[in-house]
Amino acid sequence: MKFPVVPGFDQQAFSIYLKNTGWLFLARVGSLIIKILAGIAVANYLGKTENGLLNYPLVFVTFFIAAAALGLDGFVTRELLASPKDKNKLLGTAFRMRFLAGLISIPLASLTFFLVKGNQSDIPMSYILIASCIGIAQSLNIIDSYFQSQVQGKYVMMVQVAGNLLSAGIKLLLIVLSAPLFWFIWTLLADAVLLGMGYLIVYRARGNKISEWQFEYSFAANLLKHSWPLAFSAILVTVYMKIGQLMVESFLGVAALGVYSTVVNWSESWYFIPVAIVTSVFPAIMNARRDDPQRYQKRLSDMYDLMMVISLSIAVFMTFASPFIYKYFYAAEFADGAKILSIHIWAGVFVFLGSASGQYLIAEGYTKYSLYRTGAGAVINVVLGFFWIPLYGLQGAAFATLIAYFSATFFILVFPETRKQGITMLKSLFLISLIQKILKR
């Protein structure tokens, strides 16, 4: 198969990276379809109140799961690209660090939940305990970094599609058996376990052995030194992406969260696209940065334009499709989700651009700016949500998220070192650079 020529990328190099992106897209699309169908079935089976009870533990512990990842995944990929001979030391050290952090996150999540909710919550502590174990299960996800460094997205596809098929099968079986909510809580952890075991099986099938993994204190110190800003950034990303759901439950109740969770799931289900693209082309961008600064900037600009075309297409399509989705696929009690989705989906435009510019920040070593901009987004989401959710309900939560995502993405305009890149992104946002490229052809 011959891939089209894309301006800014060499044909041969682009073919390699596009093939990898294609595998990642297949994985995500397959996962997306499976998750959506299973999610709709579960939501309709449980109803909006129990669906809210199901989603709250996962949203709550997400902050601790993000912290347990230690910001290692992207940085480990970069280190594997730079020093492939250290594979076993890098993976072994990163795995043990993530496992220990996941273990520590369990009592921290439980204690925080008790301090915030006490004994008055509708959500049992056992739900939080089960969900908080996800951090341990996800420590094996560090294997994903190895496959990305090898540009072997097809193995990621195999694991994710197989894992999601099994997960969906389990959920549908529980529905057929008329299982209570408690068993669906266990599926939150089962999803992470299935994915981690899938990575391990494929890694070993490729002739690799985790018994060869080694822990090195010097590697651990180096990883922490460079990844801690990314770790804090990941926590803050989680805050500004998930805090709205917790605030919805706090101000409007668990039933409202049940509706809002379906909206968030639809919006966030598209976020695999920028992740798949930037993950696959990151090696090409790093190579251009090393060899040709002009080509490096051209590739970044092309990536921003591509993100805008895709994200705008999705936002427009979902805005018009949302009434039909909630009319024909969800029970009547979820009907309010349609107008909320038509607002929330536009936040994806800034997620796409933010994902692309995040690779620029990593490539340039500006990881501290990732921390600053996501911190700004988190603060804005909390402040706006605090005032708007009580006044405007779920629409207030959606608009707060939209503005927070915009603010976080373009916060790099504040800093002199990254301002030029922010201006390049603004040109892509308003389609200026894309129109210029079309006119030059």
Side-chain angles (χ1 to χ4, degrees):
M1 178 179 180
K2 185 175 181 179
F3 293 97
V5 176
V6 176
F9 288 86
D10 294 332
Q11 174 65 17
Q12 183 178 3
F14 183 74
S15 295
I16 296 173
Y17 296 119
L18 185 59
K19 285 178 182 178
N20 188 55
T21 304
W23 285 116
L24 290 172
F25 263 78
L26 284 175
R28 302 294 186 177
V29 169
S31 299
L32 170 63
I33 295 172
I34 295 165
K35 280 188 173 182
I36 285 177
L37 294 177
I40 292 173
V42 170
N44 288 332
Y45 171 74
L46 294 176
K48 64 180 183 180
T49 298
E50 287 200 338
N51 192 53
L53 291 172
L54 174 64
N55 280 275
Y56 184 90
L58 183 59
V59 174
F60 185 86
V61 303
T62 297
F63 305 100
F64 301 92
I65 294 171
L70 299 175
L72 291 174
D73 293 2
F75 188 75
V76 168
T77 300
R78 193 180 89 168
E79 291 298 289
L80 286 168
L81 284 167
S83 184
K85 67 180 186 300
D86 292 325
K87 177 191 73 173
N88 290 320
K89 291 181 180 179
L90 283 167
L91 293 176
T93 301
F95 167 74
R96 286 165 175 80
M97 290 169 66
R98 287 194 57 172
F99 185 88
L100 180 60
L103 197 62
I104 294 173
S105 70
I106 297 175
L108 288 178
S110 302
L111 177 61
T112 303
F113 177 76
F114 178 77
L115 294 175
V116 172
K117 289 292 187 177
N119 295 318
Q120 306 302 318
S121 175
D122 294 330
I123 297 97
M125 176 66 78
S126 59
Y127 291 7
I128 303 299
L129 284 170
I130 294 170
S132 61
C133 292
I134 292 174
I136 295 177
Q138 287 187 346
S139 58
L140 281 171
N141 289 11
I142 198 66
I143 296 174
D144 192 341
S145 298
Y146 167 74
F147 288 130
Q148 300 308 332
S149 70
Q150 298 295 305
V151 198
Q152 294 178 341
K154 62 181 179 181
Y155 300 115
V156 176
M157 178 208 69
M158 293 166 56
V159 171
Q160 292 182 350
V161 172
N164 280 286
L165 278 171
L166 286 171
S167 174
I170 292 171
K171 292 182 176 75
L172 293 176
L173 179 61
L174 291 176
I175 293 174
V176 170
L177 296 176
S178 300
L181 173 63
F182 179 73
W183 290 105
F184 287 91
I185 297 296
W186 277 105
T187 65
L188 301 177
L189 176 58
D191 289 348
V193 172
L194 288 171
L195 193 61
M197 294 305 297
Y199 281 129
L200 178 59
I201 291 170
V202 175
Y203 182 77
R204 294 186 63 183
R206 294 296 301 165
N208 302 292
K209 298 179 181 179
I210 63 169
S211 60
E212 296 177 350
W213 286 2
Q214 305 168 36
F215 179 85
E216 288 281 347
Y217 285 102
S218 60
F219 277 70
N222 183 58
L223 289 174
L224 281 178
K225 177 182 177 181
H226 291 90
S227 68
W228 72 263
L230 295 175
F232 277 102
S233 178
I235 296 170
L236 292 173
V237 166
T238 306
V239 170
Y240 88 84
M241 292 187 72
K242 298 296 184 181
I243 195 66
Q245 290 174 265
L246 294 184
M247 295 179 76
V248 164
E249 188 275 337
S250 179
F251 287 115
L252 305 178
V254 72
L257 174 60
V259 175
Y260 194 66
S261 293
T262 63
V263 170
V264 172
N265 288 340
W266 273 100
S267 290
E268 294 185 355
S269 65
W270 298 100
Y271 296 173
F272 76 88
I273 296 177
V275 173
I277 293 175
V278 301
T279 299
S280 291
V281 303
F282 186 58
I285 289 173
M286 289 295 290
N287 290 337
R289 181 180 181 274
R290 180 192 63 211
D291 301 329
D292 188 341
Q294 186 174 358
R295 179 179 294 178
Y296 170 58
Q297 294 299 327
K298 181 68 165 59
R299 286 184 173 180
L300 287 171
S301 177
D302 289 341
M303 184 165 60
Y304 299 147
D305 289 340
L306 177 62
M307 293 299 186
M308 280 306 304
V309 170
I310 297 174
S311 62
L312 280 176
S313 300
I314 292 171
V316 171
F317 170 77
M318 290 299 296
T319 297
F320 288 101
S322 58
F324 300 95
I325 290 172
Y326 279 86
K327 179 178 180 180
Y328 294 107
F329 293 100
Y330 285 97
E333 59 183 327
F334 291 95
D336 289 343
K339 57 185 177 183
I340 311 304
L341 178 57
S342 66
I343 300 168
H344 198 282
I345 192 66
W346 286 90
V349 172
F350 308 112
V351 173
F352 275 60
L353 282 175
S355 297
S357 61
Q359 298 301 303
Y360 159 77
L361 295 176
I362 292 175
E364 294 294 327
Y366 294 147
T367 51
K368 62 180 179 180
Y369 294 134
S370 293
L371 177 62
Y372 297 154
R373 74 174 186 172
T374 49
V379 170
I380 291 170
N381 205 3
V382 171
V383 172
L384 293 180
F386 184 81
F387 290 103
W388 286 358
I389 293 175
L391 287 175
Y392 307 113
L394 296 181
Q395 291 187 61
F399 275 116
T401 297
L402 178 62
I403 294 175
Y405 284 23
F406 166 80
S407 302
T409 295
F410 286 97
F411 200 69
I412 62 174
L413 288 166
V414 173
F415 310 108
E417 297 91 339
T418 58
R419 188 170 297 143
K420 184 177 179 181
Q421 201 66 204
I423 293 172
T424 301
M425 291 166 58
L426 280 174
K427 290 180 179 178
S428 293
L429 177 65
F430 293 106
L431 305 180
I432 295 173
S433 59
L434 180 62
I435 293 172
Q436 289 175 337
K437 290 170 185 175
I438 292 174
L439 292 177
K440 287 180 179 180
R441 298 187 65 177

